[in-house]
Amino acid sequence: MSWRASHYVAAGALAAGMLVWAAHEAWPFREVPVALPIVVTSAYDDWADTLGRREMLSDVLTRAGITGREYARFLKATHTLNPRRMQPGLIFEVRRLKGATVANRIGVRLGPEKRLVMTRLRGDSGWQETVEDIPWTTERLRTTAVIQSNLYDALDAAIPDSFLPLRQRVALAWAIADVYDWEVDFTRDMRPGDRVEVLIERLQSPEGEKRLGRILAARVDVAGSPSFAFAFDNANGQSGFYDDKGRSLRRAFLRAPLRFSHISSRFGGRFHPILKRWRTHEGTDYAAAYGTPVRATADGIVTEAGRNGGYGNLVELRHTNGIQTRYGHLSRFAAGIHQGQRVHQEQIIGYVGATGLATGPHLHYEFRVNGRATNPQRKDAGAGEPVPSKLKPAFDNARAQLLAELEPTDLPAAAPALGAAAARDD
């Protein structure tokens, strides 16, 4: 059978196609199509939401897409969050899958040590509550401050934010004042140039937050005389503070009836702002905000609680050894304070006011011995209980170790404010 012309054409086209295919691998401009890799930078949207003033939990959850039945499931699952007791400023950490309308994770700090996490379960089957422990690490650090005006300002000038944030520096000032509550009145006893050294435990969270832990040891120089404080657990397992001789810093009388307040007028003569004449001031005036709690400086019995002339509202306490204390110009008395009532040291007996002959809110405090007014800033406030003899060796060892950390001997002559044992955070 003879080939037709069309057969020759088809055969030629086939041969040409085979030649082209054979040369395909040699094409310099050949490109093989390749799919681009899929890169997922984040599968979630994360943000923080703060509970505003006059807002409720439902407001925050609504912004996270948790409403209606989902909100009901959320509340059913949590046994920790109370929608009726939410403080403004509470920060919620929210996580939501990209493209979704409802968050699948809500986290909130319950306090320094705890975090609450609410996780949405699959299949719209509700929520699961988990309370997590926040692992804070502890380190021992020391700092030194020099008094120029008051303890607050001295610590604020000596300690940078990287060492302790502002609120924690304020807490440190309060903590030092509490340690020396029976020994030093920081509103009167301190003078410019006096030094304060303190060894503390500082806590740090995984997020880098820093806060004050315990005070371990301290030294306060008052008029050139050092006063030491060392933390030590007594025979009952309770931690207390003892001086370098092993005597408890607790005394029969507190140094001041108010915590760390400014004294506006001291014991002695003064020009009375209302009577317009000089008269003996038989006590100490503490300027403080209206309503500041007033403490009993020692155990005693209420001998008077009522109005008394220029004193205004007055509480008088009888103590042992013929000692009386008076607390005048009170705005009101604490609940249960009446004649014959027994009170304990540091118990709240009233609140600062401006009753009687007072030009502004302050507390007038008197210390009387056998009916005679005496300077309440005296030092003979009773001897502190010593460390029990069986614990003395243990105390001596603890004191030596704490003193070596509080006042390391290898510091250079011009030691930095935070000392060699402090972390170089800044």
Side-chain angles (χ1 to χ4, degrees), residues 397-419:
N397 290 335
R399 178 198 58 198
Q401 178 181 346
L402 291 173
L403 185 60
E405 294 182 74
L406 179 67
E407 299 182 335
T409 56
D410 59 346
L411 284 179
L418 298 182

Side-chain angles (χ1 to χ4, degrees), residues 86-99:
M86 308 291 287
Q87 295 295 326
L90 204 59
I91 299 175
F92 292 81
E93 298 170 355
V94 185
R95 167 170 288 188
R96 183 171 59 197
L97 188 67
K98 282 189 179 297

Side-chain angles (χ1 to χ4, degrees), residues 278-361:
W278 286 93
R279 59 178 293 184
T280 299
H281 190 228
E282 297 184 333
T284 302
D285 284 353
Y286 289 80
Y290 189 93
T292 300
V294 177
R295 309 176 294 173
T297 54
D299 295 347
I301 296 176
V302 179
T303 55
E304 183 177 348
R307 195 81 176 187
N308 187 329
Y311 287 106
N313 291 330
L314 173 73
V315 170
E316 182 181 82
L317 304 180
R318 184 181 74 244
H319 311 280
T320 58
N321 301 321
I323 297 175
Q324 292 175 308
T325 54
R326 289 179 176 176
Y327 311 80
H329 306 312
L330 301 175
S331 60
R332 60 189 177 93
F333 307 107
I337 297 300
H338 55 79
Q339 188 174 3
Q341 174 73 31
R342 183 174 295 276
V343 298
H344 304 288
Q345 188 180 62
E346 296 187 275
Q347 180 177 335
I348 304 302
I349 58 175
Y351 301 88
V352 169
T355 56
L357 294 177
T359 55

